[in-house]
Amino acid sequence: MRHDEIEEMRTLPLFVGVASTHVESMLRASFLQRFPAHVELAREGDPADFLHVIIDGQIEMYSAYRDRETTISVIGPGHSFIVAAVILDRVYLKSARALLPSRVLLIPAEAVRRSFGEDAAFSRALALELAGAYRSVVRELKNQKLRSSLERLANWVLTHDGESGGTGRFELPFDKKVLASRLGMAPEVLSRSIAALIPYGVKVSGRAVEISDMGALTGLAHPSPTIDGTVS
Amino acid sequence: MRHDEIEEMRTLPLFVGVASTHVESMLRASFLQRFPAHVELAREGDPADFLHVIIDGQIEMYSAYRDRETTISVIGPGHSFIVAAVILDRVYLKSARALLPSRVLLIPAEAVRRSFGEDAAFSRALALELAGAYRSVVRELKNQKLRSSLERLANWVLTHDGESGGTGRFELPFDKKVLASRLGMAPEVLSRSIAALIPYGVKVSGRAVEISDMGALTGLAHPSPTIDGTVS
DNA sequence: TTATTGTCTTGATTTTTATCAAGCTCAGCC
DNA sequence: GGCTGAGCTTGATAAAAATCAAGACAATAA
């Protein structure tokens, strides 16, 4: 890594309050790597060699079983992944692939575990990070177990609109195929569910989404603070 | 709490390596409470007042949405719950009820957060605890999204047999109704799925389960280390 | 003993979701 | 312009799961 890149990485939220000697030692051992789209960055079942932090781009976390595959999440700049596997020194539970060309900081697991053991601020930052991640998955599990596919879609639209300014207009951040998998349904079901939202004032054409009747959509979606809550 | 009870609590895995002044200060503020069966110990949406540690008994973690309800997990002695909500100072995402008469250690959230901020060993213990919990939920989410109900049941039987000695015989640890909800299916579907396991050598009568053809069951279940793995 | 209650099972049916098979649309390209 | 192919949609059908409605069964109380 170049010196200016190291300076850029120092400011990562993961490192705030962490002794600079520890940040230094982790970053010295790290790589800042570019990945073209469609490339696989980690495969489930492999030992966790690196903590990954997305600098830019977009990464899909997914998992396969038999002849099936599902998207667990799609994450962007600032997010780190496989923290849990790294600090427990276990195998990855998910695979990761780049949806867009991406730059990712790779911090060797060994260095992370050393700082985790030596630096209290860092171990606290990781604990908070993990607590947030834990709550996200719990929400997602509830979303899956308690809602129908139409409800999941309606709530996703609502949440995503909220996250992108609440203007009632936004662009899908990735392919519908990926969205379908993320929401836990077949692509055909997503198509039909999108059509089923028309009476509730949601118009989707291509990647453009437009909500014209927020009340009707909210009535269908029944958003819940303990499933959709915006803060961890 | 009585003095001998405090001594008993000191040995909790959560406290190993933690400065005894901190353990002391948390325990002094804690309550050891008995709950009869069927009682609700925490309700989703409420602010996290206490970190709960199960001393004995059995607790169901569940969640409701509209007129539906689902069991997230059923946990026993030694397990703590709502760690994430406590350290982030957020609202519970799940409710908890006693399935059996239970004794639970209640540590005030405030005390936990103080020790978390001051004691590195404790914050590390919490981070590891959270990392394990995170991985469990990820596994469960994959289980839900990637498997059919029959596969989920087959794998649960296999895993549970493994956890109870691998003898091919065990007792269901709770009602079938709860198991159905835990596995994400209606009770009627569980009944039929149990019947569907007969050709694979699984016999269930009342709470007694007997596996006579481990090979056939394994062939149906397709257990995967990244979903069913016994260690975190 | 009989009555009662809750849990579980079974059958019939509906709803939800997945799958299979064409088609459509549109950007990129000759 | 027309061709191509990926991504998406639509229709028909099948499979999976939920729901509704009885009953069976077992434990417990009267």
Side-chain angles (χ1 to χ4, degrees):
Chain A
M1 255 193 306
R2 295 194 317 267
H3 190 69
D4 61 318
E5 287 175 336
I6 293 196
E7 287 310 304
E8 190 188 344
M9 300 306 135
R10 275 181 169 294
T11 65
L12 250 26
L14 204 64
F15 294 143
V16 300
V18 179
S20 55
T21 54
H22 288 121
V23 176
E24 207 63 50
S25 85
M26 282 189 276
L27 286 178
R28 254 201 314 275
S30 303
F31 310 92
L32 183 59
Q33 195 157 340
R34 282 176 191 282
F35 295 94
H38 312 301
V39 154
E40 187 182 60
L41 332 197
R43 193 198 315 266
E44 73 175 288
D46 285 353
D49 293 328
F50 296 99
L51 171 58
H52 295 57
V53 185
I54 307 176
I55 305 305
D56 35 49
Q58 192 181 49
I59 306 291
E60 177 186 14
M61 305 300 303
Y62 67 99
S63 186
Y65 174 69
R66 307 252 241 149
D67 58 344
R68 303 154 219 173
E69 184 180 302
T70 193
T71 302
I72 310 288
S73 59
V74 178
I75 53 185
H79 286 260
S80 46
F81 58 94
I82 31 188
V83 187
V86 166
I87 78 163
L88 292 173
D89 198 4
R90 295 275 151 71
V91 123
Y92 299 134
L93 294 183
K94 314 175 211 166
S95 303
R97 73 164 73 95
L99 291 181
L100 298 175
S102 305
R103 276 197 314 157
V104 177
L105 177 68
L106 301 174
I107 315 175
E110 173 48 37
V112 174
R113 283 192 295 269
R114 193 168 340 107
S115 296
F116 173 72
E118 293 172 1
D119 188 304
F122 187 57
S123 55
R124 257 166 230 135
L126 289 183
L128 294 174
E129 164 96 18
L130 283 162
Y134 171 77
R135 286 168 65 88
S136 299
V137 206
V138 170
R139 287 173 192 281
E140 189 51 39
L141 181 62
K142 289 169 59 178
N143 192 37
Q144 283 293 324
K145 289 185 80 176
L146 290 166
R147 301 218 259 229
S148 70
S149 23
L150 185 58
E151 287 173 327
R152 293 199 296 277
L153 173 60
N155 278 291
W156 184 88
V157 169
L158 228 37
T159 304
H160 199 80
D161 177 59
E163 284 168 358
S164 44
T167 59
R169 283 163 190 278
F170 64 89
E171 296 275 310
L172 297 183
F174 33 71
D175 286 353
K176 285 179 184 161
K177 191 172 49 164
V178 175
L179 178 59
S181 178
R182 168 61 252 279
L183 293 176
M185 61 186 85
E188 295 93 328
V189 176
L190 175 61
S191 260
R192 291 185 240 264
S193 300
I194 287 175
L197 287 185
I198 294 174
Y200 298 91
V202 177
K203 222 174 66 194
V204 178
S205 64
R207 285 198 170 191
V209 181
E210 197 187 328
I211 309 170
S212 60
D213 185 346
M214 204 57 90
L217 181 58
T218 306
L220 173 68
H222 286 268
S224 153
T226 65
I227 303 183
D228 311 287
T230 165
V231 277
S232 71
Chain B
M1 254 192 309
R2 295 193 319 267
H3 189 70
D4 60 321
E5 287 174 335
I6 294 197
E7 286 311 304
E8 191 187 345
M9 300 305 135
R10 274 180 170 294
T11 66
L12 249 27
L14 204 63
F15 295 142
V16 300
V18 180
S20 54
T21 54
H22 287 121
V23 176
E24 207 63 51
S25 86
M26 283 190 277
L27 286 179
R28 253 201 314 274
S30 303
F31 310 92
L32 183 61
Q33 196 157 339
R34 281 175 192 282
F35 295 94
H38 312 299
V39 155
E40 186 181 61
L41 332 198
R43 194 196 314 263
E44 73 174 290
D46 285 354
D49 295 327
F50 296 100
L51 171 60
H52 295 57
V53 185
I54 307 176
I55 305 306
D56 38 49
Q58 191 181 49
I59 307 290
E60 177 186 15
M61 305 300 303
Y62 67 99
S63 186
Y65 174 69
R66 308 252 241 147
D67 59 344
R68 303 154 219 172
E69 185 179 303
T70 193
T71 302
I72 310 288
S73 59
V74 178
I75 54 185
H79 286 258
S80 46
F81 59 93
I82 30 188
V83 186
V86 165
I87 78 164
L88 293 173
D89 198 5
R90 294 276 150 70
V91 122
Y92 299 134
L93 294 183
K94 314 174 211 166
S95 302
R97 73 164 73 95
L99 291 181
L100 298 175
S102 304
R103 276 197 315 157
V104 177
L105 177 67
L106 301 174
I107 314 175
E110 174 47 37
V112 174
R113 284 192 294 268
R114 191 168 342 106
S115 296
F116 174 72
E118 293 171 1
D119 189 304
F122 188 55
S123 54
R124 257 165 231 135
L126 289 184
L128 294 174
E129 166 97 18
L130 283 162
Y134 170 77
R135 286 170 64 89
S136 299
V137 207
V138 169
R139 287 173 191 281
E140 190 51 39
L141 181 61
K142 290 169 59 177
N143 192 36
Q144 283 294 324
K145 288 185 80 177
L146 291 166
R147 299 218 260 230
S148 70
S149 22
L150 185 58
E151 287 173 327
R152 292 199 296 277
L153 173 60
N155 278 290
W156 183 88
V157 169
L158 228 36
T159 304
H160 198 81
D161 176 58
E163 284 167 358
S164 44
T167 59
R169 284 162 190 277
F170 63 90
E171 296 277 308
L172 297 183
F174 34 70
D175 286 353
K176 285 179 184 160
K177 190 172 51 165
V178 175
L179 178 58
S181 178
R182 166 63 251 280
L183 293 176
M185 62 186 85
E188 295 93 329
V189 175
L190 175 62
S191 261
R192 290 184 241 266
S193 299
I194 286 175
L197 287 185
I198 295 174
Y200 298 90
V202 177
K203 222 173 67 192
V204 178
S205 64
R207 286 197 169 190
V209 180
E210 197 187 325
I211 309 171
S212 60
D213 185 346
M214 205 55 91
L217 181 58
T218 306
L220 172 68
H222 285 268
S224 153
T226 65
I227 302 183
D228 312 287
T230 165
V231 276
S232 70

